[in-house]
Amino acid sequence: MMRMGVDLGGTKIEIVALAEDGAEIFRKRIPTPKNYPGTIEAIVSLVADAETATKQIGSVGVGIPGVVSPFTGLVKNSNSTWINGHPLDKDLSEVLHREVRVANDANCFAVSEAVDGAAAGKGVVFGGIIGTGCGAGVAINGRVHGGGNGIGGEWGHNPLPWMTADEFNTTSCFCGNRDCIETFISGTGFVRDFRAAGGDATSGIQISEMMQQGDPLATAAFERYIDRLARSLAHVINMMDPDMIVLGGGVSNIEAIYTELPKVLPKYVVGRECGTQVVKNKFGASSGVRGAAWLWGKDEK
């Protein structure tokens, strides 16, 4: 069975087709139309291109920067605002004459890494994306855990755990709350903290490079960052104790995270011991689109 995954982003729509064993057999991307009818047409066209090129018919999964509300059946919370308020899965199913599954792109990331990525074969996988923003998804036995409210994995919009006095009530988040995890451990938050301390950088990667060169401000900022990331992930471990945590997004490319984080995590995990592996993703920017394809599991024909 061929599985097709579509990654619906704000600037591009990408499709990938996977063979039964997960091997990629087709890929194409096009600019995203900034309107709902055009987006539907673009996805339908990409599916047709994939099926023509492979001479196969397959399942379709779509990852979106938002969720389909389990209450209304309509897309909500998408920064591609033109799809909000529409029944995307139902509209695509009707036009493509098959069931189409739609999930949050962070959940697709978690599924991709759980099925054949860095956490292949693990039962409960937490996928944290730390880039410009901060998102997360949960996969259980290779399947999305969306939750009863459709917001499973909304890790970044909880308060930073065990805040210090100088952290409390210091950041504002687009979600309307203050001191969200996202505002501290996203790449944006990392840079904000470094600049507030007198540093000058435009990305977390740049700060890590400065740290490697011995810059004291960068070193101190990285130590604060690791402590905040450890607190944020310890909160997850204390609640759901996943078999593995996989990190994605631009900040996940800082290799020092994977040597330093395990030293700090036990300080915050209940019992003061922690064997949870925190690893870098396998498929990088392709995890989302591959995970959309794997919304149709290996046991589904």
Side-chain angles (χ1 to χ4, degrees):
M1 174 181 171
M2 180 176 74
R3 293 171 174 82
M4 289 173 284
V6 176
D7 182 16
L8 172 54
T11 59
K12 56 87 180 172
I13 303 176
E14 183 172 32
I15 190 169
V16 66
L18 304 180
E20 182 71 19
D21 62 357
E24 182 182 315
I25 55 178
F26 181 82
R27 181 187 290 259
K28 183 177 180 179
R29 67 168 57 182
I30 59 175
T32 303
K34 306 297 185 181
N35 61 83
Y36 187 70
T39 297
I40 294 290
E41 291 174 9
I43 293 172
V44 170
S45 175
L46 285 170
V47 169
D49 290 345
E51 293 185 332
T52 298
T54 61
K55 297 181 173 59
Q56 298 181 59
I57 304 295
S59 60
V60 179
V62 181
I64 63 172
V67 297
V68 175
S69 168
F71 306 108
T72 67
L74 308 178
V75 175
K76 64 178 181 178
N77 301 339
S78 176
N79 55 20
S80 298
T81 55
W82 55 91
I83 67 173
N84 286 329
H86 293 280
L88 181 64
D89 52 348
K90 291 183 175 59
D91 287 344
L92 285 172
S93 296
E94 182 176 343
V95 179
L96 290 170
H97 308 293
R98 74 199 82 174
E99 180 186 352
V100 175
R101 294 178 179 173
V102 175
N104 176 261
D105 49 12
N107 280 322
C108 290
F109 167 79
V111 167
S112 171
E113 295 297 330
V115 172
D116 61 353
K122 299 294 183 180
V124 180
V125 176
F126 182 83
I129 301 176
I130 42 179
T132 303
C134 170
V138 179
I140 300 177
N141 296 325
R143 301 290 183 88
V144 167
H145 174 68
N149 296 302
I151 56 172
E154 279 292 358
W155 168 58
H157 297 291
N158 293 288
L160 181 71
W162 300 288
M163 268 184 281
T164 62
D166 61 345
E167 291 170 337
F168 181 71
N169 205 27
T170 59
T171 69
S172 298
C173 185
F174 77 88
C175 74
N177 290 320
R178 299 183 69 84
D179 299 331
C180 285
I181 286 172
E182 172 167 311
T183 65
F184 288 96
I185 70 164
S186 63
T188 306
F190 190 10
V191 170
R192 175 194 58 78
D193 176 72
F194 182 55
R195 287 178 170 172
D200 183 19
T202 58
S203 71
I205 294 291
Q206 186 180 359
I207 298 171
S208 71
E209 291 171 347
M210 294 170 69
M211 175 187 69
Q212 291 167 2
Q213 295 166 5
D215 184 287
L217 284 178
T219 299
F222 182 74
E223 290 173 353
R224 289 192 298 275
Y225 181 83
I226 284 294
D227 188 75
R228 290 163 176 165
L229 181 59
R231 282 183 263 160
S232 302
L233 290 176
H235 212 211
V236 173
I237 295 168
N238 288 342
M239 287 190 294
M240 60 183 293
D241 203 7
D243 297 306
M244 183 171 280
I245 295 172
V246 184
L247 299 181
V251 181
S252 73
N253 293 316
I254 300 175
E255 295 299 333
I257 287 175
Y258 306 101
T259 57
E260 299 308 309
L261 186 63
K263 301 174 185 177
V264 186
L265 269 174
K267 179 179 177 182
Y268 299 108
V269 171
V270 172
R272 298 296 188 267
E273 57 184 7
C274 179
T276 307
Q277 283 186 278
V278 181
V279 302
K280 185 178 178 180
N281 63 85
K282 178 178 178 179
F283 290 112
S286 292
S287 265
V289 71
R290 289 180 62 89
W294 285 121
L295 290 176
W296 294 86
K298 286 191 173 184
D299 57 343
E300 296 179 280
K301 303 294 184 182

